[in-house]
Amino acid sequence: MRLSYIIDLIIAMMGSMSNQRTLDTRRVDSHIEKLNQLVWFQQLFAEEKYRKLFITNYKIRHYLDSPFRVKRLENSTKTQERFLKLLNKQLAKGRKRSI
């Protein structure tokens, strides 16, 4: 493992332990712009149901607030698959609430 990966992991873990941290809206939006340069993300963003999650869903925005997670999304297809599962889980929760 690379040292930078381990350091990023430790920082991400420390950040998740602190529940006092608020979302940085500008950072989330810049991460979305950065990810939108990738074809797989463009396809997700083109679908209205996912685009709404990127804008309104706290869990998704919290996920995208992390530079570590965004870097992983850029480089790992497994992480991209897990992210898609998270999106679909959040969609399912939203549907249950609206019923």
Side-chain angles (χ1 to χ4, degrees), residues 37-83:
Q37 296 172 2
L38 305 173
V39 174
W40 70 270
F41 192 85
Q42 289 172 1
Q43 292 169 346
L44 287 177
F45 200 77
E47 294 188 45
E48 184 178 346
K49 62 184 181 182
Y50 294 127
R51 189 172 47 252
K52 284 183 179 180
L53 287 177
F54 297 135
I55 296 167
T56 62
N57 186 280
Y58 179 80
K59 285 191 178 188
I60 300 301
R61 290 189 67 81
H62 177 72
Y63 188 92
L64 293 173
D65 192 26
S66 166
F68 172 75
R69 289 189 207 112
V70 171
K71 190 178 290 188
R72 296 283 311 270
L73 281 171
E74 291 175 316
N75 300 322
S76 169
T77 54
K78 276 189 173 185
T79 304
Q80 294 167 9
E81 291 168 6
R82 280 186 253 139
F83 181 65

Side-chain angles (χ1 to χ4, degrees), residues 22-23 32 36 41 44 59 61 70-71 87 91 95:
T22 60
L23 287 177
I32 290 172
N36 212 8
F41 192 85
L44 287 177
K59 285 191 178 188
R61 290 189 67 81
V70 171
K71 190 178 290 188
L87 288 170
L91 279 175
R95 285 188 202 124

